[in-house]
Amino acid sequence: MGLLLILVVSVATFFYQFNNLPSLIPYQAYFKGSIKPASYSISKKAGPQNLIATYMGTSTILISDGQTAIMSDGFFTRPSFWDLLWGEISPNKALIKEALLQMNVNNLAAVIPVHSHHDHAMDAPEVALQTGAMLVGSESSANIGRGWGLAEKQIKVVTSQQPLQFGQFKVRLITSEHAVAPEFIEKLTGAGQTLNQPMTFPAQLSDFKEGGSYSVFLEHPLGNVLIHGSAGFKKLALEGVRADVVFLGIAGLGIKTASYQQEYFNEVVSRVGATRVVPVHWDDFTHSFHEPLQPMSKAVDDFEGAMNFIIEKTQNDKALSLHMMGKLDTLQLYGG
Ligand SMILES: [Zn+2]
């Protein structure tokens, strides 16, 4: 009877917390850096004058200089919590088409999953099919592509630090670490494992393997950008990297210890000499693409804890500013 009571109370608490979603209102001031996509038009003849980022939740970011565009992840399908637990998941072609249209995607040269979990890599092959982009990443991401029918000529498996040139972008993936999760989640999501054969679709959540985690480093004549999707790090991995702008993954950061948070920030933001930090992967990726971005539920993460930490870090450093981006927000990173 006692055990049953504990079980009932635990389940009730989880579901209460599950629906207990942090508010974005306290952080509104940080969303103000955005400009509307309408003001973004660049003559193709004039050469790149602006580097613009467009955000679509999780760590899906489009970076464009008007001539060439690069996208991290390209994740739009966002299967629901219940589909992840008990259903089967596949890229939603119509939704991806709609998202690419809304993001005004053209001249997409590469789509780059930061690792091969479903919330980063699942849709990338379909994005590549619809845009003609190259799928760039780990062997596991390549196998998701092969399983979805993407031709080998549109897949590029890279090693850490291997440079690739797309227009004026020099792109390198740099080996990092995934944030450590509770053991049952690590098992469910194939932490440290590789997907060794083409993925079969529709797939289950547990079919996706981490496949190695990367920071994506974009060097461009207008300025450099670092996209760091998962809140894990490898000591000194970013030694020698310089980037004014860092897109910083904060999923799970709020529930880490204070010393972990400090070290993460030092290794990913301070080490590269960033002056602007844009938190990403803070939204609940089980919420539909058609809804506004919503911070991760209090049952699984501490968004407020992570934000308080980042706000304190940026307030203590006059050279560093904090920007938040909502769905489809654009941010001018460099240029006129
Ligand atoms: Zn992951």
Side-chain angles (χ1 to χ4, degrees):
M1 189 63 197
L3 264 181
L4 184 68
L5 190 67
I6 290 168
L7 187 71
V8 168
V9 170
S10 305
V11 170
T13 307
F14 177 81
F15 280 100
Y16 171 74
Q17 286 292 78
F18 193 69
N19 292 311
N20 191 356
L21 306 171
S23 168
L24 283 173
I25 291 171
Y27 313 104
Q28 280 312 308
Y30 299 107
F31 283 86
K32 291 221 170 108
S34 291
I35 55 169
K36 291 286 159 231
S39 65
Y40 163 42
S41 75
I42 299 164
S43 156
K44 286 197 174 162
K45 285 181 193 138
Q49 291 152 358
N50 296 279
L51 210 62
I52 308 277
T54 308
Y55 186 53
M56 203 49 130
T58 58
S59 46
T60 293
I61 307 149
L62 177 74
I63 310 278
S64 173
D65 69 3
Q67 294 181 333
T68 310
I70 309 279
M71 190 187 288
S72 54
D73 294 353
F75 175 64
F76 307 105
T77 298
R78 304 170 75 98
S80 72
F81 178 73
W82 301 111
D83 280 346
L84 290 181
L85 273 191
W86 289 297
E88 290 188 313
I89 56 178
S90 293
N92 182 329
K93 290 183 192 181
L95 201 62
I96 292 167
K97 191 171 180 191
E98 184 186 341
L100 293 173
L101 207 65
Q102 284 188 23
M103 287 181 102
N104 205 3
V105 172
N106 43 43
N107 301 326
L108 190 67
V111 56
I112 311 175
V114 296
H115 57 268
S116 305
H117 283 151
H118 91 284
D119 54 327
H120 300 277
M122 183 174 84
D123 291 350
E126 180 59 25
V127 170
L129 280 176
Q130 291 191 20
T131 60
M134 186 74 81
L135 172 65
V136 176
S138 67
E139 188 62 29
S140 299
S141 292
N143 273 324
I144 296 172
R146 291 174 186 125
W148 191 245
L150 189 65
E152 210 57 47
K153 66 175 191 315
Q154 245 180 293
I155 298 174
K156 181 79 186 163
V157 178
V158 285
T159 53
S160 187
Q161 299 275 9
Q162 181 185 342
L164 296 176
Q165 195 75 34
F166 297 102
Q168 299 212 40
F169 289 94
K170 182 174 159 191
V171 178
R172 279 187 279 162
L173 275 65
I174 301 172
T175 301
S176 182
E177 295 279 341
H178 196 278
V180 176
E183 203 179 328
F184 78 98
I185 294 182
E186 296 261 291
K187 283 215 171 97
L188 184 71
T189 59
Q193 294 177 32
T194 303
L195 178 65
N196 289 313
Q197 66 285 316
M199 172 80 83
T200 304
F201 285 99
Q204 292 185 330
L205 178 63
S206 59
D207 294 337
F208 290 84
K209 308 298 175 195
E210 180 214 335
S213 292
Y214 301 91
S215 306
V216 180
F217 181 40
L218 307 177
E219 287 175 276
H220 190 280
L222 291 173
N224 297 348
V225 179
L226 185 74
I227 300 172
H228 189 88
S230 178
F233 63 91
K234 210 173 170 173
K235 251 184 176 333
L236 296 171
L238 296 169
E239 182 71 8
V241 168
R242 306 305 290 169
D244 268 342
V245 179
V246 173
F247 290 91
L248 185 72
I250 64 165
L253 187 64
I255 51 178
K256 297 285 187 200
T257 63
S259 66
Y260 181 96
Q261 293 175 347
Q262 289 290 349
E263 210 176 345
Y264 177 58
F265 200 88
N266 289 344
E267 287 294 336
V268 183
V269 180
S270 308
R271 189 170 297 286
V272 305
T275 58
R276 282 167 289 167
V277 58
V278 186
V280 293
H281 212 342
W282 49 265
D283 56 304
D284 184 339
F285 53 79
T286 64
H287 276 223
S288 155
F289 163 79
H290 290 115
E291 294 169 28
L293 300 183
Q294 171 65 54
M296 214 90 81
S297 152
K298 291 183 185 183
V300 294
D301 202 356
D302 181 5
F303 169 73
E304 288 150 335
M307 285 304 294
N308 289 341
F309 167 70
I310 307 271
I311 288 169
E312 197 191 314
K313 291 299 287 184
T314 50
Q315 280 178 347
N316 288 339
D317 183 348
K318 290 277 169 284
L320 194 58
S321 62
L322 169 61
H323 303 266
M324 294 291 287
M325 296 178 80
K327 187 177 123 185
L328 276 174
D329 278 353
T330 60
L331 194 63
Q332 180 155 354
L333 305 179
Y334 299 105

